Amino acid sequence: MYRSNNCGELRSSHINNEVTLSGWVQKVRDKGFMVWVDLRDRYGITQLIFDEERTPKAMMEQAQKLGREFVIQVKGTVIERDSKNPNIPTGDIEILVSELTILNTALTPPFTIEDKTDGGEELRMKYRYLDIRRNPVKNNLIFRHKVTQEVRNFLSNQDFIEVETPYLIKSTPEGARDFVVPSRMNEGQFYALPQSPQTFKQLLMVGGMDKYFQIVKCFRDEDLRADRQPEFTQIDCEMAFVEQDDILDVFEGLTRHLLKEVNGVEIEKFPRMLYDDAMRLYGNDKPDIRFGMEFGELNAVTQHKDFKVFNDAELVVGIAVPGGNSYTRKEIDKLIEWVKRPQVGALGMIYSRCNEDGTYKSSVDKFYDQDDLAKWAEITNAKAGDLVCVLSGPTNKVRAQLSALRMELATRLGLRDPKVFAPLWVMDFPLLEWDEDTERYHAMHHPFTSPKPGQIELLDTNPGEVKANAYDLVLNGNEIGGGSIRIHDKATQAIMLKHLGFSEADAKAQFGFLMDAFEYGAPPHGGLAFGLDRLVAILGGQETIRDFIAFPKNNSGRDVMIDAPSKIDDAQLEELSLKLNIKS
Ligand code: ASP
């Protein structure tokens, strides 16, 4: 038996017990006549004591030679500590060791294995197995486990069945590039790894499974913007015989359950907002509603004067910064520089100070009088002491820019408290999205999303206006998940694919299996998927999903620990009937 107890459970009530413990040497304090060792395992730290008077000489010497991260087993007696440590749960006791076995030695670790470590991110990733011994990483993994357990409990209690779907499949269009896997048995042919199990879960509905979920890996070969992973986990769900409200109710219930069980936070009904309103009020389809600072559109109160910049703009829009009138000229100039950074891309920013005495002072006083500025304040909801910041330009661009400014200011003002949770459903997304690069419409969600009833005809006349039965769940300004009611008949699916630019032959080649299935009695169905990594990070009050993934990849998609991706040898290529012809 390696251990009778773990390193986190012994208390004064165990005094005089004979115990066996195993774990890692966290620290050795050697006073010559006395040696203390902190023994660590997943559950905590227990202090071991060896002393000249009570410990045989050979064991004393052995203890003095223990190195950090040695794996040892000890037998001994639980005794009361002379000087207690109230900071750890086992701080009242220590183990007087009677037997010491070194189970394994360890090289000196490349960084300190403590809560605050001296190891940089890249180094910690290379030795992730050591990093996982640290509390912050270990606790995040345990936290993630708790969340997934609660997801499984909740959904199983609601009659959902977890079904596994294959990883070696054919491309599923979720808007990203596929990872592909060459097939040895089918020369020159490739599987794609699923961007999501989308078509399979729809086929499970045709198969009568009725309520499906899966905690599942998805793979998307995208350029890795900060905090994305090429492989990530979804809580993927689908339900048959449901309307949008049924789905929102179930997954609002799941989210509420998680907030309650995991965070102890109770939240009433989640607000719902139309996509168009989210864009108008926050310039963003995933607004952070923990704070106000809603947009005020100012075209009507700015385009009647000679200020050409505003007159030429499609949209003039502002926000009120609470207390912003206290900013110095220099601080405002810095803010203007901030919006002009290429990442934000505004050409400039106009502002109006709302003085305590009810007067206004703007950067465009030449064009606008006090009455005009009073209207700006009214529309942006600015109070005395605030600062109105105004951007102008093409609608989509200027909304994105002002949204970036809104988030930045809220962060600076401390309005984005990670302990506050503000969920929001955003609904009625456009079905299609114009892509400037390819000059074509793309499915905003995916090609299986159904248009709102009665809008099919609009596809021919005004495709950009067609709204979908699609919804996203947003939490604290992050998209946690999204889904839709699906198309479930072949004819509508064919129309949709035609509008996305698929020829009949291409549509058949790529999605024939799904369209065929729709001809054998497909029930009305819909679903959604939550991004588990991000959900866990947000519930954990943190920002980076990497911190909640046991073995994450870096920003270039590399696993620096196992050194992947890497070359394969010629024999492997030969087996796959592949010859490399690397372009660069
Ligand atoms: N498959 C979708 C996604 O991965 C989710 C859904 O529509 O259910 O975003």
Side-chain angles (χ1 to χ4, degrees):
M1 185 177 68
Y2 277 111
R3 51 188 173 182
S4 60
N5 296 84
N6 65 49
C7 294
E9 68 179 317
L10 297 172
R11 303 282 184 274
S12 345
S13 58
H14 297 95
I15 286 172
N16 292 332
N17 282 15
E18 291 298 315
V19 296
T20 309
L21 299 181
S22 292
W24 287 264
V25 172
Q26 164 106 2
K27 211 190 294 167
V28 180
R29 265 168 304 138
D30 180 5
K31 291 264 181 216
F33 59 96
M34 227 177 254
V35 177
W36 288 276
V37 173
D38 281 350
L39 188 68
R40 180 193 68 232
D41 68 8
R42 189 185 116 192
Y43 308 91
I45 288 183
T46 297
Q47 180 166 294
L48 314 178
I49 179 167
F50 303 81
D51 83 61
E52 238 170 22
E53 281 170 23
R54 292 176 285 183
T55 308
K57 192 152 185 282
M59 199 199 298
M60 194 73 191
E61 278 166 11
Q62 212 186 4
Q64 280 160 331
K65 284 199 214 113
L66 289 174
R68 269 161 60 198
E69 302 306 315
F70 274 36
V71 186
I72 61 171
Q73 182 193 41
V74 293
K75 289 192 184 355
T77 316
V78 183
I79 60 171
E80 186 173 1
R81 269 206 217 186
D82 277 345
S83 57
K84 307 208 172 12
N85 177 357
N87 299 323
I88 57 171
T90 60
D92 286 350
I93 56 99
E94 59 194 350
I95 311 297
L96 177 64
V97 178
S98 56
E99 232 182 283
L100 166 65
T101 313
I102 295 177
L103 299 172
N104 213 341
T105 59
L107 296 175
T108 306
F111 51 86
T112 50
I113 304 195
E114 289 178 20
D115 292 9
K116 284 224 173 324
T117 175
D118 52 358
E121 168 115 18
E122 194 79 3
L123 191 64
R124 289 192 291 111
M125 289 302 156
K126 186 162 161 57
Y127 297 93
R128 185 64 162 173
Y129 45 86
L130 296 180
D131 204 21
I132 291 172
R133 289 185 198 161
R134 295 173 52 239
N135 282 322
V137 184
K138 175 193 77 184
N139 290 339
N140 283 354
L141 294 181
I142 296 173
F143 183 80
R144 182 184 177 116
H145 163 76
K146 178 150 195 229
V147 174
T148 51
Q149 280 301 99
E150 289 302 335
V151 169
R152 290 201 160 96
N153 285 345
F154 181 89
L155 291 175
S156 305
N157 284 337
Q158 304 248 347
D159 276 345
F160 280 79
I161 307 288
E162 186 162 14
V163 183
E164 287 170 70
T165 52
Y167 280 162
L168 295 176
I169 65 164
K170 193 178 169 100
S171 164
T172 39
E174 294 275 358
R177 213 172 285 113
D178 288 320
F179 280 102
V180 293
V181 180
S183 162
R184 180 182 57 81
M185 288 191 288
N186 303 272
E187 258 179 38
Q189 296 191 340
F190 295 81
Y191 300 100
L193 298 179
Q195 293 183 34
S196 88
Q198 184 60 37
T199 48
F200 288 98
K201 65 177 174 175
Q202 292 192 241
L203 293 170
L204 286 170
M205 294 305 108
V206 181
M209 283 312 287
D210 198 66
K211 287 177 175 178
Y212 142 92
F213 85 102
Q214 184 182 191
I215 295 185
V216 63
K217 273 288 171 73
C218 302
F219 307 85
R220 298 185 191 179
D221 188 4
E222 289 175 293
D223 290 336
L224 298 175
R225 283 187 270 130
D227 214 25
R228 287 261 183 109
Q229 289 280 312
E231 52 177 309
F232 58 95
T233 309
Q234 282 189 344
I235 308 167
D236 190 46
C237 308
E238 197 76 4
M239 302 166 79
F241 303 112
V242 283
E243 288 169 343
Q244 182 161 293
D245 271 356
D246 302 310
I247 297 176
L248 299 195
D249 284 349
V250 172
F251 293 97
E252 185 166 322
L254 170 64
T255 312
R256 206 180 284 126
H257 175 81
L258 293 177
L259 283 165
K260 180 152 176 265
E261 295 303 319
V262 179
N263 295 87
V265 173
E266 302 222 25
I267 295 195
E268 292 296 304
K269 198 138 182 64
F270 297 0
R272 296 180 181 185
M273 186 181 292
L274 296 180
Y275 168 89
D276 285 347
D277 291 336
M279 296 308 287
R280 187 170 52 77
L281 292 171
Y282 301 95
N284 195 318
D285 60 5
K286 41 181 192 306
D288 189 339
I289 57 163
R290 278 174 296 183
F291 58 97
M293 294 171 76
E294 290 175 2
F295 289 14
E297 298 195 346
L298 302 172
N299 291 40
V301 295
T302 53
Q303 293 184 325
H304 59 304
K305 295 285 171 72
D306 286 336
F307 188 45
K308 197 165 156 31
V309 175
F310 282 175
N311 292 347
D312 291 347
E314 191 183 359
L315 179 67
V316 183
V317 57
I319 48 171
V321 185
N325 190 25
S326 65
Y327 293 177
T328 60
R329 179 63 210 263
K330 223 168 147 194
E331 284 171 321
I332 296 182
D333 284 344
K334 274 215 184 121
L335 213 52
I336 297 177
E337 285 313 309
W338 191 89
V339 295
K340 285 161 87 174
R341 293 172 344 142
Q343 298 93 315
V344 182
L347 293 176
M349 184 184 94
I350 302 298
Y351 64 88
S352 169
R353 292 176 175 281
C354 306
N355 296 322
E356 295 295 346
D357 63 6
T359 62
Y360 302 95
K361 175 90 193 79
S362 81
S363 54
V364 281
D365 279 351
K366 226 166 78 191
F367 299 99
Y368 299 99
D369 57 28
Q370 292 290 308
D371 286 345
D372 292 324
L373 299 177
K375 286 188 190 127
W376 297 15
E378 189 190 325
I379 293 171
T380 57
N381 254 320
K383 313 268 170 310
D386 292 355
L387 178 77
V388 177
C389 297
V390 184
L391 300 182
S392 61
T395 301
N396 290 345
K397 277 202 178 131
V398 82
R399 280 179 170 166
Q401 292 159 357
L402 193 61
S403 168
L405 178 64
R406 175 178 176 270
M407 296 295 268
E408 172 68 18
L409 286 168
T411 306
R412 291 189 196 177
L413 290 166
L415 301 174
R416 306 186 65 201
D417 181 351
K419 300 246 154 40
V420 173
F421 295 99
L424 170 75
W425 287 109
V426 177
M427 345 234 311
D428 293 6
F429 275 74
L431 185 70
L432 304 171
E433 181 176 40
W434 181 252
D435 184 61
E436 296 283 349
D437 294 339
T438 52
E439 303 205 320
R440 276 207 354 223
Y441 277 107
H442 282 269
M444 188 145 181
H445 200 44
H446 50 59
F448 317 111
T449 299
S450 77
K452 286 239 158 243
Q455 298 211 336
I456 289 258
E457 292 70 34
L458 255 185
L459 273 177
D460 286 321
T461 51
N462 203 348
E465 287 299 305
V466 180
K467 291 285 191 280
N469 268 322
Y471 34 80
D472 274 359
L473 180 65
V474 176
L475 185 57
N476 295 359
N478 295 280
E479 182 197 326
I480 288 299
S484 58
I485 296 293
R486 325 297 184 188
I487 296 167
H488 67 280
D489 67 283
K490 186 171 182 169
T492 312
Q493 191 62 69
I495 295 175
M496 183 68 185
L497 291 173
K498 189 182 100 201
H499 279 279
L500 292 173
F502 286 89
S503 69
E504 223 170 286
D506 283 349
K508 194 168 167 26
Q510 237 187 305
F511 306 114
F513 63 95
L514 185 69
M515 314 251 268
D516 289 349
F518 285 170
E519 293 199 295
Y520 288 93
H525 61 284
L528 54 55
F530 281 176
L532 178 70
D533 310 284
R534 176 134 304 115
L535 176 63
V536 171
I538 295 173
L539 295 178
Q542 295 181 35
E543 305 245 301
T544 7
I545 64 172
R546 258 201 308 275
D547 294 343
F548 288 86
I549 297 173
F551 299 105
K553 305 226 172 354
N554 72 9
N555 279 348
S556 335
R558 295 200 71 82
D559 182 326
V560 293
M561 182 182 64
I562 59 171
D563 193 23
S566 55
K567 298 213 163 90
I568 55 172
D569 62 33
D570 290 345
Q572 265 176 305
L573 281 174
E574 183 69 38
E575 251 177 3
L576 294 165
S577 318
L578 289 180
K579 208 182 265 153
L580 288 188
N581 182 8
I582 308 285
K583 283 205 200 119
S584 59

Coordinates of all heavy atoms in Angstrom, one line a residue, residues 182 188 190 568 570 572-580:
P182 N -4.7 12.1 -44.3 CA -4.7 11.3 -45.5 C -5.1 9.9 -45.1 O -4.9 9.4 -44.0 CB -3.2 11.3 -45.9 CG -2.4 11.7 -44.6 CD -3.4 12.5 -43.8
G188 N -4.8 8.8 -52.0 CA -5.1 10.1 -52.6 C -6.4 10.7 -52.0 O -6.8 11.8 -52.5
F190 N -8.7 12.0 -48.5 CA -8.5 12.6 -47.2 C -9.7 12.6 -46.4 O -10.8 12.9 -46.9 CB -7.9 14.0 -47.4 CG -6.6 14.1 -48.0 CD1 -6.5 14.0 -49.4 CD2 -5.4 14.2 -47.3 CE1 -5.2 14.0 -50.0 CE2 -4.2 14.3 -47.9 CZ -4.1 14.2 -49.3
I568 N 7.1 13.6 -40.7 CA 7.0 12.2 -40.6 C 8.0 11.5 -41.6 O 8.5 12.2 -42.5 CB 5.5 11.7 -41.0 CG1 5.1 12.1 -42.4 CG2 4.6 12.1 -39.9 CD1 3.8 11.5 -42.8
D570 N 10.0 9.0 -44.3 CA 9.7 8.6 -45.7 C 8.8 7.4 -45.8 O 7.9 7.3 -46.6 CB 11.0 8.4 -46.5 CG 11.7 9.8 -46.7 OD1 11.0 10.8 -46.5 OD2 12.9 9.8 -47.0
Q572 N 6.6 6.4 -43.7 CA 5.2 6.7 -43.4 C 4.5 7.4 -44.7 O 3.4 7.1 -45.0 CB 5.1 7.7 -42.2 CG 4.9 7.0 -40.9 CD 4.9 8.0 -39.8 OE1 5.9 8.7 -39.6 NE2 3.8 8.0 -39.0
L573 N 5.3 8.3 -45.3 CA 4.8 8.9 -46.5 C 4.5 7.9 -47.6 O 3.4 7.9 -48.2 CB 5.8 10.0 -47.0 CG 5.8 11.3 -46.3 CD1 7.0 12.1 -46.8 CD2 4.5 12.1 -46.4
E574 N 5.4 7.0 -47.7 CA 5.3 5.9 -48.7 C 4.0 5.1 -48.5 O 3.2 4.9 -49.4 CB 6.5 5.0 -48.6 CG 6.7 3.9 -49.6 CD 6.9 4.4 -51.0 OE1 7.7 5.4 -51.1 OE2 6.3 3.9 -51.9
E575 N 3.8 4.8 -47.3 CA 2.6 4.0 -46.9 C 1.3 4.7 -47.3 O 0.3 4.2 -47.6 CB 2.6 3.8 -45.4 CG 2.8 2.4 -45.0 CD 2.9 2.3 -43.5 OE1 2.6 3.3 -42.7 OE2 3.1 1.2 -43.0
L576 N 1.4 6.1 -47.2 CA 0.2 6.9 -47.5 C 0.2 7.3 -49.0 O -0.7 8.0 -49.4 CB 0.3 8.2 -46.7 CG 0.1 8.0 -45.1 CD1 0.5 9.3 -44.4 CD2 -1.3 7.6 -44.8
S577 N 1.1 6.7 -49.7 CA 1.2 7.1 -51.2 C 1.3 8.6 -51.4 O 0.7 9.1 -52.3 CB 0.0 6.6 -52.0 OG -0.3 5.3 -51.6
L578 N 2.1 9.2 -50.5 CA 2.2 10.7 -50.6 C 3.7 11.1 -50.9 O 4.6 10.4 -50.4 CB 1.8 11.4 -49.3 CG 0.3 11.4 -48.9 CD1 0.1 12.1 -47.6 CD2 -0.5 12.0 -50.0
K579 N 3.8 12.1 -51.7 CA 5.2 12.6 -51.9 C 5.1 14.1 -51.6 O 4.2 14.8 -52.0 CB 5.5 12.5 -53.4 CG 7.0 12.3 -53.7 CD 7.3 12.2 -55.1 CE 7.5 10.7 -55.5 NZ 7.2 10.5 -57.0
L580 N 6.1 14.6 -50.8 CA 6.0 16.0 -50.4 C 6.6 16.9 -51.5 O 7.6 16.6 -52.1 CB 6.8 16.2 -49.1 CG 6.1 15.6 -47.8 CD1 6.9 16.1 -46.6 CD2 4.7 16.1 -47.7

